[in-house]
Amino acid sequence: MASSSSSSSHPYASLTNPEIKYDVFLSFGGEDTRESFTSHLYSALSRETIETFIDDDLRRGDEISQSLLDAIEASSISIIIFSESYASSRWCLDELLKILECRKEYAQIVIPVFYRVDPSHVRKQTGNFGDSFLKLEERFPDKMQSWRNALTEAADLSGFDSLVVSPESALIEEIVNAILKRLDDTFHSENEDLVGVRLPMKEIESLLRTGSTNVYKLGIWGIGGIGKTTIAGAIFNKISRHFAGSYFARNVREAEETGRLGDLRQQLLSTLLNDGNVKNFLNTDLNFQSRRLTRKKVLIVFDDVDHPRQIKILVGRLDLFASGSRIIITTRDRQVLANCGVDEVYQMEELVHDDALRLFSRHAFGGDHPHESHTELACKTIKYARGVPLALEVLGRYLYGKRREVWENAKSKWETALPKGIQDALKISYDGLDDKEQNIFLDIACFFIDEDRDTATKFLDDCEFFATSAIEVLVDKHLITISVLNKIEMHDLLRAMGREIVRQESTNDPGKRSRLWHHKEVYKILSENRGTEAIQGISLDMSKVKDINLHPNTFTKMPNLRILKFYSSMNEENKCKMSYFQGPGFTEVRYLHWHGYPLKLLPSNIHPEKLVLLEMPHSNIEQLFDNVQDYGKLNQIITAAFNFFSKIPTPSLTQHLNNLVILNLSGCKNLQSLPARIHLKLLKELDLSGCSKLKRLPEISPGNITTMHLDGTALEELPSSIECLSKLSHLGLADCKSLKSLPSGLCKLKSLDVLIIDGCSNLQRLPEELGNLEALDILHAIGTSITEVPPSIVRLKRVRGIYFGRNKGLSLPITFSVDGLQNLRDLNLNDCGIMELPESLGLLSSVTTLHLEGNNFERIPESIIQLSNLERLFIRYCERLQSLPKLPCNLLSLDAHHCTALESLPGLFPSSDESYLRTLYLSDNFKLDRNEIRGIVKGALQKIQLLATARLREAREKVCR
């Protein structure tokens, strides 16, 4: 059984001598210290759980035993207790020779203790100590000189003198404390061979040092190969000596799988109880054995646990240990930690670039740095490994000593097939999933990375995979993560592992795999019409292939197709050409995305009630009407979807619930109308941007819509029902040049945080109650015809950015207040022709950037000095501005270029200690008197980068001279 403990193996193995078993070896003369000082020192060391070797046998004969020599080699530190009789023993002197040899060969730490003997007597072999030593000369004349040299060398080392430190208890305490410190130093020195552990160790130690007198349980969680066992081992090695008992239970999952969990339990309990008679007992006897541990403060690491029952079998309850005990559990499954009731979960992170390069270089080049000729290749490789230590080691070993051509070819190879060592390590978590969870993981690995979690969940639920709970399982097992934007994310190596599992379904024939994503394989299958019933999903980046002429029955051969995604990362035209569909197909399709769909009709047998996502950007679709059937199945499908609820009795709504979550018809320039009313209660995202002929938006029933992209449409007004969209957070209306007004009901949208109306050139006003949009974060209204800002705007307490640029003739009949616009950071009023700024401007206390370019005001209110957070002020082309008031001292950048009436900057630089200005733009006509120039040059010389006129720079240089 692979395990380690305080009694069976030592954690502080050095690189040159890996067989370390003991912390300390005690070398002493038996007659005068065995029963007194030496035994007291040994007891004190043992109380601190310092593993100490002491020879309890009475020594007979002339030769030192091999076992004693081995014990010296197997120790980190040797303590030599020099007493008056020490030099009278050939055994002691031979031990001394071996100890000093280990000091030279293995950098063993040697500490002399002079017990009731003068150090100079040991050094020079004089006094009573020397008399004892000389008695050996007659018997061992050939060894005397080597012993003399050894005694002199040892006596010159830093140590402890009982004649200086007293009483004896104080001396022993000092020695023990010194040993503990040296052992910690030894650990740090040995730990230098581990890469990237310093920060996580510091963080984990901080968690473990809670000061709690209770049993503290810490979980270490992360993907396979991320370094959980390594960091747990390093922590164990460092702190285990502070516990009455310690044990590192390795590979708990594997022990259970191979039927050796009982053996592991026996080793654990026998070590912690220091009882070699503990047998492999039945579970019913566990409580009796566990009760024996309640009096011992212990440290236990349970490594690679994948079910809480494993810990229950090993030790029963974790809270039965003595106060101050620490339990560490490493796992790939966060739910295991929750079930075990851990106090804290520490998530392992990938190595940063420098550490990753160092670890990879050790295995690929035999040193801490890559060869200069391979630096670029090494960086590409570690980027692929994404900071996973196991991957860096496996890839480094694979590439060690290989030709440059192999390096260059390796990454392409790994993109299609992970190295076996990495695949096997990562696949353990996948193997622990049930069938439905495995299908979800493979769908995500192949198709849904960076997709919205809710959309993916709805699709996968509709495939009867029970995704809501399964996705939580994948998160707990660290197979996926969910971003703050609710996007599904997956480590690149896990994605590669999942795709390799799919590839193994049929290594030679992609047509017999369940999922296809590689453009070359998809191109081959589609162009040769070699689809099969095995195919459940296809994703093709059309920008990577030539035109494909699809056979009319291409999809008939794929009756189990659930996902079809033809997209273009380069926004190119459709490459999948076809004139019509033939035969059955698409009956199981739930996710349909086809950039530039070539037909005017959707497949005739598509099931609208199964669609979760329908995206047809830049397609040839022409019409969507409620009452016109001449436009084929597309009209029937969308109309059926839109009107589904009105045709279904209320009790059966859940049975026939329409599933569409995303409808994307962006760029469909021929689309002129939609059904009169939208009843899609599950719809979250509606994208009609670029539908330049669409003049009317249907009435929309309350539902789940969060995002509406209507940019670039021909809409003249929004439906009044928009006020019912309580979950709408993003409304895009940019470049709706026919839009003349916004409905007052818009101000009832309590979730709206982004409103974009840039380029709505006919929009003349904003709703009077705009200030009721309590969640609004960004208001973009650049390039409209708005001439007056509603006073209620000051009530927007959450808004961070307001952009009114290029609204000619805009007036600001506003009085700002202390409570209003509390979070406004960025205010853009460029090119609005503003004649006068509000005197209350200074109450916008959070503003950091103020854009006032191209306006007609002659002065800036003096209250601007109150904008203590203002960092950037832009007033270029304010040609009527004649002077500046005193500006905030935190200002970093002032752009006053082409302010032709502005001739001075009085008070801008009060002193070098107050101004933080870095950048200053001025015009050719700018006039500075000598004092102002000195203020710039001397008051803020180190703080300003002058980007001004040649005239000003010349003046600056003159003053400097």
Side-chain angles (χ1 to χ4, degrees):
M1 174 55 55
S3 63
S4 64
S5 70
S6 58
S7 63
S8 61
S9 64
H10 187 276
Y12 302 101
S14 69
L15 295 177
T16 52
N17 180 19
E19 301 300 324
I20 296 295
K21 294 182 180 179
Y22 307 105
D23 293 318
V24 172
F25 178 90
L26 287 179
S27 178
F28 62 97
E31 295 179 1
D32 52 354
T33 68
R34 179 187 297 276
E35 303 299 332
S36 55
F37 179 79
T38 299
S39 66
H40 297 156
L41 176 59
Y42 175 75
S43 297
L45 292 169
S46 298
R47 283 194 297 272
E48 293 295 334
T49 66
I50 297 173
E51 194 68 28
T52 305
F53 181 91
I54 183 171
D55 181 20
D56 291 324
D57 296 330
L58 293 176
R59 300 170 182 180
R60 296 180 177 89
D62 292 333
E63 296 296 329
I64 187 171
S65 68
Q66 184 60 44
S67 62
L68 208 58
L69 296 175
D70 292 342
I72 294 172
E73 281 195 1
S75 300
S76 292
I77 300 174
S78 284
I79 298 178
I80 308 167
I81 303 174
F82 288 121
S83 59
E84 281 194 358
S85 66
Y86 184 91
S88 66
S89 167
R90 178 191 176 181
W91 279 59
C92 289
L93 295 171
D94 282 346
E95 279 181 6
L96 178 60
L97 290 175
K98 183 63 178 179
I99 288 169
L100 295 177
E101 176 188 317
C102 290
R103 179 174 181 264
K104 179 179 180 181
E105 294 295 326
Y106 308 131
Q108 186 179 99
I109 299 169
V110 179
I111 300 175
V113 176
F114 303 97
Y115 183 70
R116 297 181 180 177
V117 62
D118 192 312
S120 66
H121 293 173
V122 178
R123 186 179 301 110
K124 300 176 182 178
Q125 300 89 53
T126 58
N128 292 338
F129 185 90
D131 293 342
S132 299
F133 176 64
L134 290 175
K135 292 177 182 179
L136 296 176
E137 187 166 18
E138 182 177 337
R139 296 170 57 198
F140 310 105
D142 56 330
K143 302 198 70 172
M144 292 298 287
Q145 188 57 48
S146 61
W147 288 340
R148 285 184 187 279
N149 295 340
L151 288 168
T152 301
E153 180 182 346
D156 283 337
L157 299 175
S158 176
F160 296 89
D161 187 347
S162 66
L163 300 178
V164 175
V165 181
S166 61
E168 192 171 291
S169 59
L171 174 62
I172 289 175
E173 183 179 357
E174 280 199 21
I175 294 172
V176 172
N177 289 336
I179 296 298
L180 287 171
K181 184 177 186 307
R182 296 301 291 270
L183 286 174
D184 281 341
D185 292 342
T186 302
F187 169 80
H188 288 300
S189 176
E190 293 161 356
N191 203 44
E192 290 178 0
D193 192 48
L194 297 176
V195 177
V197 302
R198 181 172 300 177
L199 178 59
M201 283 193 65
K202 181 179 179 181
E203 293 172 339
I204 291 173
E205 284 186 84
S206 176
L207 292 173
L208 292 173
R209 287 197 298 266
T210 60
S212 170
T213 58
N214 298 321
V215 178
Y216 186 84
K217 303 176 288 294
L218 174 70
I220 300 179
W221 173 57
I223 64 172
I226 197 66
K228 301 182 296 295
T229 301
T230 299
I231 201 69
I235 290 290
F236 179 87
N237 292 347
K238 183 174 183 181
I239 70 174
S240 59
R241 67 174 53 88
H242 300 295
F243 296 82
S246 56
Y247 191 84
F248 195 115
R250 294 186 183 276
N251 302 324
V252 173
R253 173 188 55 80
E254 182 182 312
E256 184 181 48
E257 291 174 353
T258 55
R260 296 181 293 117
L261 203 56
D263 296 334
L264 181 60
R265 177 175 58 190
Q266 180 180 350
Q267 294 180 29
L268 183 153
L269 290 174
S270 65
T271 299
L272 294 180
L273 295 171
N274 196 23
D275 183 355
N277 295 319
V278 172
K279 297 180 180 180
N280 196 356
F281 43 79
L282 299 174
N283 290 343
T284 53
D285 298 323
L286 183 60
N287 288 338
F288 170 73
Q289 303 291 349
S290 297
R291 282 197 296 272
R292 297 174 61 189
L293 292 173
T294 58
R295 295 181 294 274
K296 296 190 73 172
K297 185 177 80 168
V298 299
L299 168 68
I300 309 177
V301 175
F302 296 101
D303 173 50
D304 194 17
V305 177
D306 68 353
H307 199 283
R309 68 169 173 271
Q310 295 157 352
I311 292 180
K312 186 175 182 181
I313 291 171
L314 289 173
V315 294
R317 290 167 49 190
L318 292 176
D319 58 353
L320 292 179
F321 296 105
S323 296
S325 293
R326 296 292 182 261
I327 308 297
I328 299 175
I329 303 171
T330 75
T331 184
R332 305 171 188 225
D333 191 343
R334 187 170 56 185
Q335 187 59 41
V336 168
L337 301 176
N339 292 341
C340 291
V342 299
D343 299 286
E344 194 78 38
V345 176
Y346 183 83
Q347 180 177 343
M348 290 293 295
E349 301 290 348
E350 296 88 353
L351 294 178
V352 298
H353 175 84
D354 289 348
D355 287 337
L357 183 60
R358 183 181 173 198
L359 179 60
F360 173 75
S361 296
R362 288 186 177 183
H363 294 276
F365 304 105
D368 283 351
H369 305 284
H371 297 162
E372 187 174 347
S373 60
H374 284 63
T375 300
E376 184 178 353
L377 290 171
C379 289
K380 288 181 179 179
T381 304
I382 65 171
K383 183 178 180 180
Y384 171 78
R386 284 284 303 273
V388 175
L390 173 68
L392 292 162
E393 293 174 8
V394 171
L395 300 180
R397 287 194 295 266
Y398 174 82
L399 293 170
Y400 182 82
K402 295 289 197 307
R403 303 188 316 277
R404 185 181 180 87
E405 293 80 1
V406 176
W407 281 69
E408 292 172 342
N409 179 258
K411 189 171 185 299
S412 298
K413 175 183 176 182
W414 295 331
E415 285 178 351
T416 57
L418 273 178
K420 188 175 187 304
I422 302 174
Q423 179 76 10
D424 291 347
L426 297 178
K427 192 171 179 286
I428 291 171
S429 296
Y430 171 84
D431 290 337
L433 303 173
D434 64 31
D435 291 345
K436 296 184 184 300
E437 292 163 352
Q438 288 181 350
N439 269 300
I440 289 176
F441 174 77
L442 296 180
D443 273 353
I444 292 173
C446 298
F447 306 122
F448 287 114
I449 295 175
D450 291 329
E451 288 281 358
D452 177 75
R453 172 185 182 167
D454 296 337
T455 302
T457 299
K458 184 66 189 71
F459 166 79
L460 295 165
D461 269 340
D462 197 59
C463 296
E464 300 182 354
F465 290 159
F466 306 104
T468 302
S469 60
I471 283 181
E472 290 296 329
V473 171
L474 298 185
V475 170
D476 286 342
K477 290 183 178 292
H478 216 297
L479 291 170
I480 63 172
T481 57
I482 306 299
S483 74
V484 294
L485 298 177
N486 205 37
K487 302 291 185 181
I488 298 177
E489 297 177 346
M490 180 182 289
H491 195 284
D492 289 352
L493 294 179
L494 290 170
R495 179 189 65 184
M497 180 267 288
R499 293 184 173 187
E500 175 61 10
I501 291 172
V502 174
R503 193 184 73 86
Q504 289 294 329
E505 294 172 353
S506 177
T507 56
N508 297 322
D509 186 355
K512 294 180 180 179
R513 299 175 194 161
S514 59
R515 299 158 179 89
L516 299 174
W517 64 89
H518 195 279
H519 63 279
K520 292 182 180 179
E521 294 174 343
V522 174
Y523 180 84
K524 184 177 180 65
I525 296 298
L526 295 180
S527 61
E528 297 178 7
N529 196 20
R530 293 174 52 193
T532 69
E533 63 181 13
I535 299 174
Q536 299 177 34
I538 296 176
S539 178
L540 172 65
D541 184 352
M542 294 186 293
S543 64
K544 296 182 178 180
V545 298
K546 301 179 294 184
D547 286 357
I548 307 175
N549 292 311
L550 298 176
H551 192 278
N553 72 348
T554 292
F555 299 104
T556 302
K557 293 185 175 184
M558 309 176 199
N560 295 313
L561 190 68
R562 299 178 290 117
I563 303 170
L564 181 63
K565 185 174 183 179
F566 290 160
Y567 69 101
S568 175
S569 58
M570 305 298 293
N571 205 30
E572 297 179 0
E573 64 179 19
N574 171 55
K575 299 284 187 70
C576 296
K577 310 293 185 181
M578 67 185 313
S579 55
Y580 65 97
F581 289 106
Q582 183 183 77
F586 289 97
T587 57
E588 296 298 321
V589 170
R590 290 156 170 80
Y591 185 115
L592 179 56
H593 177 111
W594 196 323
H595 179 96
Y597 178 70
L599 306 181
K600 296 179 181 180
L601 314 177
L602 279 186
S604 60
N605 58 344
I606 197 167
H607 288 200
E609 72 277 7
K610 291 184 178 180
L611 282 175
V612 172
L613 182 145
L614 175 61
E615 293 186 313
M616 298 296 204
H618 304 284
S619 72
N620 288 330
I621 295 171
E622 292 186 354
Q623 297 274 3
L624 295 175
F625 284 107
D626 271 325
N627 55 353
V628 178
Q629 303 299 323
D630 296 337
Y631 296 97
K633 275 292 180 182
L634 177 59
N635 177 57
Q636 297 173 28
I637 289 165
I638 300 299
T639 301
F642 285 170
N643 296 300
F644 209 68
F645 291 109
S646 63
K647 297 181 181 180
I648 304 298
T650 300
S652 60
L653 276 178
T654 55
Q655 179 182 356
H656 300 281
L657 192 63
N658 190 277
N659 290 316
L660 200 63
V661 174
I662 294 179
L663 177 59
N664 181 351
L665 299 173
S666 61
C668 294
K669 297 181 180 180
N670 293 321
L671 183 64
Q672 296 183 23
S673 64
L674 294 168
R677 192 167 186 84
I678 294 179
H679 293 279
L680 288 175
K681 287 192 175 181
L682 294 183
L683 192 68
K684 288 189 64 177
E685 182 175 329
L686 176 62
D687 191 345
L688 300 172
S689 58
C691 297
S692 53
K693 294 183 180 179
L694 184 64
K695 296 182 178 181
R696 186 180 63 84
L697 191 68
E699 295 293 331
I700 305 173
S701 296
N704 290 300
I705 292 183
T706 61
T707 304
M708 291 179 65
H709 298 284
L710 305 175
D711 315 78
T713 62
L715 295 177
E716 297 179 356
E717 62 180 3
L718 295 177
S720 58
S721 60
I722 197 168
E723 67 183 48
C724 301
L725 304 182
S726 59
K727 296 183 179 180
L728 186 64
S729 63
H730 182 108
L731 179 58
L733 294 164
D735 297 316
C736 291
K737 300 188 183 301
S738 300
L739 189 66
K740 297 180 180 179
S741 64
L742 296 175
S744 59
L746 183 73
C747 301
K748 297 180 180 180
L749 300 179
K750 301 301 183 182
S751 298
L752 190 66
D753 62 5
V754 176
L755 176 60
I756 302 175
I757 51 177
D758 296 345
C760 294
S761 53
N762 278 307
L763 184 64
Q764 299 180 4
R765 64 179 180 84
L766 290 170
E768 287 298 322
E769 296 305 316
L770 185 70
N772 290 345
L773 294 174
E774 57 188 40
L776 196 64
D777 183 55
I778 299 294
L779 173 59
H780 260 277
I782 295 174
T784 71
S785 295
I786 296 171
T787 57
E788 186 172 316
V789 177
S792 69
I793 198 172
V794 299
R795 300 204 303 268
L796 297 176
K797 294 185 178 181
R798 295 187 182 180
V799 71
R800 290 183 300 124
I802 295 178
Y803 306 89
F804 278 125
R806 301 201 313 274
N807 286 281
K808 296 297 184 182
L810 185 71
S811 63
L812 296 171
I814 297 174
T815 300
F816 297 119
S817 65
V818 175
D819 297 331
L821 300 174
Q822 294 173 341
N823 290 300
L824 185 62
R825 302 288 189 272
D826 197 346
L827 178 59
N828 186 326
L829 298 171
N830 290 346
D831 299 308
C832 290
I834 296 173
M835 301 294 294
E836 185 177 2
L837 293 172
E839 292 295 329
S840 56
L841 183 68
L843 295 179
L844 300 177
S845 58
S846 297
V847 168
T848 61
T849 304
L850 186 56
H851 295 266
L852 300 173
E853 296 103 310
N855 284 297
N856 297 325
F857 48 78
E858 296 180 357
R859 56 180 291 274
I860 295 177
E862 293 185 1
S863 65
I864 196 172
I865 188 66
Q866 301 172 27
L867 300 183
S868 58
N869 291 305
L870 187 64
E871 297 177 352
R872 291 168 292 275
L873 175 60
F874 300 90
I875 53 174
R876 60 166 52 198
Y877 289 95
C878 290
E879 297 179 354
R880 297 185 181 182
L881 182 62
Q882 298 179 8
S883 64
L884 285 177
K886 188 176 181 180
L887 298 176
C889 61
N890 286 329
L891 194 67
L892 299 177
S893 176
L894 172 63
D895 186 347
H897 182 69
H898 212 79
C899 292
T900 53
L902 186 63
E903 296 186 349
S904 67
L905 300 171
L908 181 59
F909 309 104
S911 75
S912 61
D913 293 331
E914 294 182 27
S915 178
Y916 290 87
L917 199 64
R918 296 289 191 278
T919 307
L920 176 63
Y921 291 85
L922 299 172
S923 298
D924 285 343
N925 67 301
F926 206 89
K927 298 177 181 178
L928 289 174
D929 63 26
R930 191 174 184 83
N931 289 332
E932 287 176 318
I933 295 175
R934 288 188 181 278
I936 294 174
V937 173
K938 294 190 175 180
L941 178 61
Q942 301 301 319
K943 299 177 181 179
I944 300 177
Q945 177 187 1
L946 281 171
L947 300 176
T949 64
R951 183 186 309 168
L952 183 57
R953 285 195 294 272
E954 290 172 2
R956 177 177 181 271
E957 291 170 359
K958 289 179 181 178
V959 172
C960 289
R961 289 196 295 268

